[in-house]
Amino acid sequence: KNDHLGFTIPYTHKGRTHQFVPDFLVRLAPEPDGVARMLVVEVSGGRKDQSMRAAKADTARDLWLPAVNNDGRWGRWGFCEVDDPTRAKLDIGAAADALRGGVRQ
C-alpha cells in the first residue's frame, strides 16, 4: 500500500496542479534480465470525481510512464486501474504480465 511512502505523480486538473497518490505500488519478482519492475495500481470507484479520476489515470499512463521508462534509471513501470473488484485479479495479472513481457502500457 502506498501509505506514508511519499510516492506521488503530479498532474493538472481544471488548470490546477495536484499530486496523485496511487493506492498501491507492486514490486514484481525479479526477472533474469535484472530489470526492476514496478506496477502502479489505482482502485477507482463510482464515488470518485470521474473527470479527476481520468486526469490522474491519463497523466500516469500517457505522460509519467513513458517519461520514467524512457529515462531507464528506475527500471520498467506499468499502470493498472481497477474499477471492477470482480476483475481485480485478472486486470492486475494482465498488467503484470504485460510489464514482464516488455509491452508498453
Side-chain angles (χ1 to χ4, degrees), residues 1-3 15-16 22 24 35 37 47 50 57 59 63 68 74-75 78-79 88 90 92 101-102 105:
K1 181 147 178 65
N2 184 24
D3 185 30
R16 298 194 62 192
F24 299 94
V35 176
R37 287 173 174 80
R47 294 183 183 170
Q50 294 304 301
T59 298
L63 300 174
V68 76
W74 311 103
F79 179 79
L90 291 171
I92 293 169
Q105 302 264 322

Side-chain angles (χ1 to χ4, degrees), residues 39-98:
L39 184 61
V40 177
V41 178
E42 176 67 2
V43 179
S44 297
R47 294 183 183 170
K48 293 184 179 181
D49 176 316
Q50 294 304 301
S51 66
M52 185 172 272
R53 180 205 58 78
K56 293 188 287 188
D58 292 348
T59 298
R61 185 177 24 261
D62 301 336
L63 300 174
W64 191 84
L65 278 179
V68 76
N69 285 334
N70 284 330
D71 180 276
R73 290 180 289 173
W74 311 103
R76 297 280 313 155
W77 288 69
F79 179 79
C80 179
E81 185 173 18
V82 175
D83 56 7
D84 179 352
T86 65
R87 291 191 43 86
K89 186 174 182 178
L90 291 171
D91 292 345
I92 293 169
D97 288 345

